[in-house]
């Protein structure tokens, strides 16, 4: 039962962390179905389903453990209660479309998404916003960190192709986040790094060492631990790291 003095935002955050823990458990084999029967606070639970989006399908994509029929129904209900809006930012639109595609792929019903005609381009949120004058590597890192749920095989091929093309920018952004002790952001970017390695990019950082550092120094939230767990599973299917490539040794160190 929710405490009366707990704000809806706090309830949604707690529900998202709890659901992220179930996804993490499904990835590690310590948890049952990703989506359980709806708890007492159904609205917070459905909001968490919407926020996690593509990550709900991480066990299916990485471990062959798809959502059960009740889970598919929960995703459909979440989109009904919290429908996409033309006013949604590009990152949300992109995440929703990835969720809808994966939902359909794994046996769910078609989900409502923001139509293309309301977007500035057919691929909303593909390129970073450079209007703030950030260096390109910082712009790419700031752009991709909130989209870490799309760093899953088959979730968003166009964005993943661009991320792979800019893997060095991601390495610089990850290094900066580590220097600033911003471990949640470092976990999101390390997940993207792992995805680019899985797609054949030559790593500019030792991503495995980065993940170990994040875990030891406190990634913090369950969602950060989910990011590092996904990254490790992606690395497990990546090509072996080239010996003596020297990329990490010559990595440019960004300013803190």
């Amino acid at each position: 039962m929710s405490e009366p003095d707990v704000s809806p935002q706090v309830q949604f955050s707690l529900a998202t962390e709890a659901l992220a823990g179930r996804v993490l458990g499904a990835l590690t084999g310590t948890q049952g179905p990703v989506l359980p029967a709806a708890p007492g606070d159904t609205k917070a639970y459905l909001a968490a389903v919407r926020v996690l989006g593509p990550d709900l399908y991480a066990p299916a994509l990485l471990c062959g453990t798809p959502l059960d029929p009740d889970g598919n129904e929960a995703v459909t209900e979440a989109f009904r209660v919290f429908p996409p809006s033309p006013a949604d930012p590009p990152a949300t639109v992109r995440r929703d479309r990835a969720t809808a595609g994966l939902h359909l792929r794994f046996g769910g019903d078609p989900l409502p998404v923001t139509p293309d005609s309301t977007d500035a381009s057919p691929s909303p949120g593909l390129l970073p916003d450079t209007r703030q004058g950030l260096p390109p590597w910082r712009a790419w890192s700031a752009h991709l960190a909130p989209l870490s749920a799309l760093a899953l095989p088959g979730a968003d091929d166009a964005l993943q192709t661009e991320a792979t093309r800019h893997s060095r920018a991601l390495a610089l952004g990850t290094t900066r986040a580590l220097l600033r002790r911003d471990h949640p952001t470092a976990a999101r970017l390390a997940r993207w790094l792992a995805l680019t390695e899985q797609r054949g990019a030559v790593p500019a950082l030792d991503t495995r060492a980065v993940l170990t550092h994040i875990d030891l120094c406190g990634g913090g939230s369950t969602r950060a631990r989910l990011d590092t767990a996904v990254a490790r599973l992606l690395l497990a299917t990546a090509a072996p790291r080239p010996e003596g490539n020297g990329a990490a040794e010559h990595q440019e160190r960004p300013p803190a």
Side-chain angles (χ1 to χ4, degrees):
M1 178 180 298
S2 302
E3 296 292 335
D5 59 343
V6 175
S7 69
Q9 185 61 45
V10 170
Q11 293 177 35
F12 295 162
S13 296
L14 291 174
T16 301
E17 281 287 286
L19 192 53
R22 293 195 67 88
V23 177
L24 180 60
L27 287 173
T28 58
T30 61
Q31 184 70 63
V34 172
L35 292 174
D41 193 343
T42 305
K43 191 171 184 180
Y45 168 75
L46 293 177
V49 171
R50 289 287 281 111
V51 169
L52 288 180
D55 268 336
L56 301 173
Y57 301 91
L61 293 166
L62 299 171
C63 304
T65 310
L67 291 179
D68 59 23
D70 289 340
N72 278 331
E73 289 180 12
V75 175
T76 301
E77 180 67 6
F79 270 73
R80 186 191 68 80
V81 174
F82 297 100
S85 165
D88 288 338
T92 300
V93 174
R94 198 161 197 98
R95 186 188 66 205
D96 285 348
R97 289 185 178 169
T99 304
L102 292 170
H103 186 65
L104 199 60
R105 173 178 168 182
F106 289 104
D109 297 326
L111 298 175
V113 293
T114 303
D116 285 348
S117 59
T118 64
D119 301 322
S121 72
S123 231
L126 180 61
L127 300 176
D129 185 348
T130 58
R131 289 175 295 180
Q132 296 180 359
L134 295 176
W137 64 268
R138 282 190 61 183
W140 270 108
S141 299
H143 177 62
L144 288 173
L147 293 169
S148 63
L150 301 184
L152 284 170
D156 190 320
D157 187 70
L159 188 63
Q160 291 172 12
T161 298
E162 289 299 315
T164 303
R165 187 176 300 155
H166 298 279
S167 62
R168 180 171 175 78
L170 289 170
L172 287 165
T174 305
T175 302
R176 181 176 187 270
L178 290 173
L179 290 171
R180 294 167 64 88
R181 299 182 182 179
D182 183 357
H183 296 113
T185 297
R188 298 183 192 109
L189 293 175
R191 174 169 167 176
W192 274 112
L193 279 176
L195 187 280
T196 67
E197 285 193 45
Q198 199 253 2
R199 290 175 64 100
V202 176
L205 279 179
D206 187 337
T207 309
R208 290 173 177 81
V210 170
L211 295 171
T212 299
H213 178 84
I214 293 169
D215 286 341
L216 289 175
C217 293
S221 68
T222 306
R223 292 185 72 185
R225 290 190 286 117
L226 175 59
D227 282 327
T228 58
V230 169
R232 285 194 170 89
L233 289 168
L234 290 169
L235 289 174
T237 59
R241 183 184 177 94
E243 292 294 335
N245 63 15
E249 297 175 357
H250 299 288
Q251 176 67 53
E252 177 184 347
R253 181 169 170 147

